[in-house]
Amino acid sequence: MQLKVVKFGGSSLSDTEHFKRVASIIKEDPARRYVVASAPGKRTDTDEKVTDMLYTCYNMIRSREDITDYYQKIVDRYTDIICGLGLDFDIMGELEYIKNAMMARSGRDFAASRGEYLNSLILAKYLGFDFIDAENVIFFKDNGEFDEEKTNEAMKNELKYHERAVIPGFYGSMPNGTIKTFTRGGSDITGSIVARAACADLYENWTDVSGFLMADPRIVDSPLPISTVTYRELRELSYMGAGVLHEDSIFPVQKEGIAINIRNTNHPEDAGTLIVPNSHTHESKQVITGVAGKKGFSVINIEKNRMGAEFGFAARVFRCLDSYAIHTEHLASGIDTMSHIVSTSELNNKLDDLIPELHRVTDADNITIDTGLALIAVVGRGMRESKGTAARIFSAISGAGVNVRMIDQGSSELCIVIAVYESDYERAVKAIYNEFVNG
Ligand code: ASP
């Protein structure tokens, strides 16, 4: 029999109605055996996520404020769900224990993690599934890094004892037993960890959208959905700001070659987006899979005659940038020029020292900084097979009256990155999308 790991995000578990919807999705397919749950998300635009409320409690305790009234709102969220489901489940003892533990300073991550813990207890009870506490199967190292292999072994062992189970997302434990969370949205990573350990046939990630769109809907009107995307394409798109899935959640399933299916809890009839290991199994019908981008970049241009003939030139530049904690996001080079694209926020207040230091280590003829840039990534595994893609992209951009500041195409031919001025960003994205979708 097939085995699926299903993860439900906070918006899918925000209230009684959503719990019922989730339960019917799970019960509809017996392969959905392991469930990862987030904390209750927002019920309306103005509502608060339980995780945010728990962080607020933690901050209030630190500043010695009384949390009684505020904590009651969290208690109400859970008791409303339990009553609405008609469950015979007394959660008051747990809620009291958590409040006391927070007051006894059990840590910020402990506080934040309780949203997932409580929601998973309720969901397990409602489904009649076992409950596996993530603190016993997900581990971090002393330096705070996720301990992949120890986790995989422990998770594998534990799953053997459970035919069906609910596991809270977002957290695990440190070697000293204290609770540690992943970064925000980390339940996606937990789902991927469970899918790897269970050797699942599929990891379904249920959220409130029907997968990825080919472009940002705030820029392009009703962009087409992406039906299939490879892990590598997704890495490029999410680095450039295409949200929906935590970017680290690819890694555990990648080890086992398990596909991820993004699905919509409110529209279970939609197929969503399938994220697959490689393109061999899923040929792309479209030349480009998606267009994504971000503003807030600058370029450091370094010019020096015959720089290419100097051993260690690039290494000196990188070492200097490292010492100022500046990452090179993209690099373009000519015979006598080198352009480092960096995030403008990393340059803040450093330029007065950085430029003289770069001059000192490189003896460059000229160093200039250009700010106010946006990067656009045109991503598509179909680009390799089709001639003239770059020509189409650039004629679309120039047709829209946009000046290209820099181009970077990796040798994998999976992604072309284009730098434009921020004021041209939206126009360029629209032009590229229209060229490939409506052209
Ligand atoms: N509840 C956590 C957050 O709001 C983790 C998650 O939902 O994935 O970030």
Side-chain angles (χ1 to χ4, degrees):
M1 187 177 76
Q2 273 220 329
L3 193 161
K4 293 180 186 169
V5 170
V6 287
K7 178 255 164 179
F8 290 89
S11 56
S12 303
L13 291 167
S14 56
D15 57 17
T16 307
E17 277 326 298
H18 279 90
F19 261 74
K20 288 183 180 166
R21 222 171 277 177
V22 162
S24 85
I25 289 169
I26 295 168
K27 293 280 157 87
E28 187 179 89
D29 183 351
R32 294 179 177 136
R33 286 174 41 200
Y34 298 124
V35 182
V36 172
S38 281
K42 292 182 177 190
R43 293 159 297 185
T44 59
D45 284 351
T46 51
D47 198 14
E48 273 181 293
K49 284 175 151 200
V50 166
T51 309
D52 291 328
M53 297 168 86
L54 289 162
Y55 279 125
T56 303
C57 284
Y58 171 82
N59 291 334
M60 288 170 78
I61 292 167
R62 285 199 62 181
S63 47
R64 298 178 194 285
E65 285 174 64
D66 177 13
I67 64 164
T68 313
D69 291 344
Y70 192 76
Y71 191 70
Q72 187 57 40
K73 292 206 259 178
I74 298 177
V75 173
D76 292 345
R77 292 279 316 249
Y78 287 109
T79 46
D80 282 356
I81 293 173
I82 292 171
C83 287
L85 296 175
L87 272 183
D88 175 22
F89 179 34
D90 182 11
I91 203 168
M92 290 317 288
E94 291 281 355
L95 284 159
E96 203 48 38
Y97 174 85
I98 291 168
K99 184 178 171 203
N100 290 334
M102 286 200 297
M103 312 258 276
R105 306 289 170 101
S106 44
R108 186 172 187 268
D109 284 11
F110 170 82
S113 70
R114 295 305 91 183
E116 280 47 33
Y117 171 80
L118 293 168
N119 234 19
S120 300
L121 280 179
I122 300 171
L123 187 60
K125 189 92 184 153
Y126 187 50
L127 293 169
F129 282 19
D130 297 344
F131 170 79
I132 301 175
D133 194 342
E135 74 167 277
N136 301 321
V137 277
I138 294 192
F139 301 110
F140 293 85
K141 299 178 192 166
D142 274 323
N143 64 5
E145 258 175 44
F146 168 53
D147 194 335
E148 258 182 278
E149 296 316 316
K150 184 176 171 194
T151 297
N152 191 45
E153 225 179 280
M155 184 72 81
K156 251 185 196 316
N157 276 336
E158 187 63 35
L159 293 179
K160 280 188 210 146
Y161 297 102
H162 307 273
E163 180 63 21
R164 295 176 186 279
V166 179
I167 303 133
F170 193 36
Y171 71 93
S173 60
M174 292 291 287
N176 66 6
T178 55
I179 296 290
K180 170 153 178 66
T181 63
F182 291 107
T183 51
R184 297 299 303 263
S187 301
D188 287 340
I189 308 175
T190 309
S192 182
I193 291 168
V194 178
R196 177 189 174 197
C199 297
D201 296 287
L202 185 66
Y203 167 26
E204 288 180 343
N205 188 297
W206 291 81
T207 174
D208 55 2
V209 291
S210 296
F212 291 95
L213 299 173
M214 282 186 71
D216 185 339
R218 289 166 300 187
I219 300 176
V220 170
D221 266 349
S222 316
L224 292 178
I226 299 178
S227 58
T228 312
V229 60
T230 63
Y231 295 154
R232 292 217 28 232
E233 286 176 310
L234 186 67
R235 291 279 302 146
E236 304 278 359
L237 288 169
S238 36
Y239 160 73
M240 282 296 186
V244 181
L245 193 68
H246 192 296
E247 59 174 335
D248 289 341
S249 57
I250 297 288
F251 302 120
V253 282
Q254 194 167 22
K255 293 233 149 84
E256 290 291 328
I258 300 164
I260 308 175
N261 191 188
I262 308 287
R263 301 284 297 268
N264 189 342
T265 304
N266 304 322
H267 290 282
E269 67 286 359
D270 291 350
T273 299
L274 192 63
I275 308 163
V276 295
N278 57 54
S279 44
H280 308 308
T281 43
H282 293 80
E283 292 289 319
S284 177
K285 286 181 220 81
Q286 240 137 4
V287 180
I288 68 160
T289 304
V291 192
K294 282 204 277 215
K295 293 183 179 177
F297 292 95
S298 298
V299 58
I300 305 173
N301 295 300
I302 303 172
E303 288 173 31
K304 185 180 186 190
N305 279 336
R306 288 190 285 280
M307 67 163 65
E310 260 182 58
F311 282 109
F313 186 90
R316 287 197 295 281
V317 174
F318 275 108
R319 262 200 302 273
C320 177
L321 293 175
D322 278 357
S323 68
Y324 283 86
I326 296 168
H327 298 87
T328 299
E329 308 273 344
H330 286 276
L331 179 65
S333 59
I335 318 176
D336 296 328
T337 61
M338 184 184 255
S339 301
H340 288 253
I341 298 234
V342 302
S343 163
T344 306
S345 61
E346 289 191 355
L347 279 184
N348 282 345
N349 308 322
K350 296 178 188 164
L351 283 177
D352 288 349
D353 296 330
L354 174 70
I355 306 284
E357 184 61 12
L358 274 174
H359 269 292
R360 195 184 67 74
V361 298
T362 60
D363 197 20
D365 300 329
N366 197 18
I367 298 179
T368 55
I369 309 278
D370 208 357
T371 58
L373 296 178
L375 292 183
I376 300 172
V378 186
V379 177
R381 59 195 185 281
M383 292 201 296
R384 226 168 308 181
E385 269 78 47
S386 63
K387 292 196 185 75
T389 309
R392 285 177 71 187
I393 295 172
F394 294 112
S395 71
I397 294 183
S398 87
V402 172
N403 182 21
V404 172
R405 281 289 298 113
M406 207 204 74
I407 306 161
D408 180 15
Q409 179 182 22
S411 53
S412 65
E413 285 191 59
L414 187 77
C415 177
I416 297 178
V417 176
I418 302 149
V420 299
Y421 284 113
E422 284 176 348
S423 53
D424 289 333
Y425 171 67
E426 283 83 5
R427 229 167 346 131
V429 170
K430 265 191 210 149
I432 297 167
Y433 178 85
N434 285 332
E435 167 62 30
F436 288 93
V437 176
N438 305 320

